[in-house]
Amino acid sequence: MKLPKKVKINEVVLRDGLQLEDKILTLDEKKKIFDQLVKAAVQTIEFGSFVHPKLVPQMANSGELVELISENPNDVKLIALIPNLKGAKNAREKGVKNLNFVFSASDTHNEQNVQKSTKDSLSELKEILSYCKEQDMCLSVSIATTFGCPFEGEVKKERIYWILGQLTSLNLETITLADTTGMANPQQVYDLITELTNKFPHQLFNLHFHNTRGMGLANMMAAMQAGVTSFDASLGGLGGCPFAPGATGNICTEDVVHMLHSMGIETGLSLDELLIASKTLQQLVGHETPSYVLKAGPYDRKYSIPTKK
């Protein structure tokens, strides 16, 4: 198998992971998760989003949270998701330096998510990029529904080419291709990523998979085979888009790290500390998470034979 020696993990539990939860975590609870992620040596965290609080109430305290965590001993890179220019300006007021602008490859999902067409989002992106350059902020982009739309079905690869053709000339730090509702399959992922990396060889791609239909890790393997070495993941496997029917959790950080480490692929993260963080997360949200490794333990866990009475 053609696999990388090292993979970068971008942790999204504090944003994508919590946005569908019934319970809205307090600042102290979010800070507790953040601190434990830092102990696990996580270097990149998407900590929240600057969206309308009525639409995603779980993210309403993102501004207060970044003020609480911005001074951290490990100099963790903090990223905020934004849907528009207003979000960028609100993030700037809180001192955020790294933004992730999200829009959808499909018009229908984009209308549901940010109330505008994909073309309009692309136009607004240029305004946001100009603003970020003025404010010395770093901007990346996420393209939702890259591998399929829950409303329109198949998203043609030609549409992805058209979108990327407009993005790659903007010198964005990273472009994330997102499988928003877990519609992708490994063959599709391998084929599309291979074509995109050939067509846009100088662009850094990050992948965002959901495990909606149990193919998240398989899709990640396919992406690695195609040359991708950067992925989003969510502690405990929590998450999902509030504006997409049937949305469920992201690929689970500790499951991802466990798989990679068992294959000899480095991540720089501590699986033991991630499991401690995941157990804490489970207690805070008040229900079991989809994490497999939290339930079963690592593959090399050994059990004692019960003593016969």
Side-chain angles (χ1 to χ4, degrees), residues 224-260:
M224 287 194 294
Q225 289 266 45
V228 175
T229 60
S230 179
F231 297 88
D232 288 351
S234 176
L235 189 72
L238 295 184
C241 175
F243 310 106
T248 53
N250 295 262
I251 53 174
C252 173
T253 307
E254 57 267 33
D255 290 348
V256 165
V257 170
H258 175 262
M259 178 183 76
L260 294 175

Side-chain angles (χ1 to χ4, degrees), residues 182-232:
M183 296 173 67
N185 66 73
Q187 187 67 62
Q188 176 193 14
V189 170
Y190 180 81
D191 290 345
L192 181 61
I193 300 304
T194 299
E195 290 180 33
L196 292 180
T197 51
N198 287 333
K199 199 172 182 68
F200 306 101
H202 302 297
Q203 179 60 55
L204 176 63
F205 290 108
N206 178 68
L207 271 288
H208 179 105
F209 290 118
H210 283 253
N211 201 39
T212 314
R213 294 166 178 84
M215 290 194 282
L217 292 186
N219 287 333
M220 182 181 177
M221 284 292 296
M224 287 194 294
Q225 289 266 45
V228 175
T229 60
S230 179
F231 297 88
D232 288 351

Side-chain angles (χ1 to χ4, degrees), residues 1-5 221 224-225 263 265:
M1 299 177 77
K2 188 177 70 174
L3 296 170
K5 293 182 179 179
M221 284 292 296
M224 287 194 294
Q225 289 266 45
M263 294 190 295
I265 299 172

Side-chain angles (χ1 to χ4, degrees), residues 11-135:
E11 177 58 60
V12 298
V13 65
L14 290 172
R15 199 277 302 170
D16 197 336
L18 296 179
Q19 65 184 7
L20 274 186
E21 288 297 312
D22 292 330
K23 180 185 176 184
I24 299 176
L25 297 195
T26 66
L27 283 175
D28 287 342
E29 289 171 329
K30 288 185 177 183
K31 174 69 161 53
K32 190 171 186 178
I33 296 168
F34 174 82
D35 288 342
Q36 294 197 337
L37 290 172
V38 172
K39 282 185 180 180
V42 176
Q43 288 295 306
T44 308
I45 298 176
E46 194 168 273
F47 68 87
S49 58
F50 287 83
V51 297
H52 198 293
K54 288 185 178 178
L55 296 176
V56 191
Q58 295 87 345
M59 296 295 107
N61 58 7
S62 293
E64 297 167 274
L65 178 62
V66 73
E67 291 178 331
L68 200 60
I69 64 177
S70 57
E71 298 294 332
N72 62 80
N74 291 20
D75 197 26
V76 174
K77 182 178 181 179
L78 302 174
I79 303 170
L81 181 138
I82 59 162
N84 48 39
L85 181 58
K86 183 178 180 181
K89 291 181 176 179
N90 289 342
R92 176 67 186 87
E93 288 177 5
K94 295 297 183 178
V96 179
K97 289 291 186 182
N98 302 287
L99 300 180
N100 178 24
F101 173 64
V102 63
F103 68 94
S104 304
S106 72
D107 277 320
T108 308
H109 186 265
N110 211 54
E111 291 281 0
Q112 294 294 312
N113 202 23
V114 294
Q115 293 77 55
K116 61 186 68 175
S117 68
T118 301
K119 188 175 181 181
D120 287 342
S121 282
L122 284 167
S123 296
E124 188 168 23
L125 169 59
K126 294 173 184 176
E127 296 178 57
I128 296 169
L129 183 59
S130 177
Y131 176 78
C132 287
K133 287 179 178 178
E134 290 172 6
Q135 301 297 326

Side-chain angles (χ1 to χ4, degrees), residues 243-298:
F243 310 106
T248 53
N250 295 262
I251 53 174
C252 173
T253 307
E254 57 267 33
D255 290 348
V256 165
V257 170
H258 175 262
M259 178 183 76
L260 294 175
H261 288 187
S262 68
M263 294 190 295
I265 299 172
E266 296 178 19
T267 64
L269 306 187
S270 166
L271 179 60
D272 289 341
E273 291 293 344
L274 284 173
L275 289 172
I276 293 170
S278 189
K279 190 174 292 185
T280 299
L281 174 68
Q282 193 165 261
Q283 292 166 352
L284 291 176
V285 297
H287 62 80
E288 280 195 0
T289 64
S291 172
Y292 285 109
V293 183
L294 185 61
K295 295 182 181 73

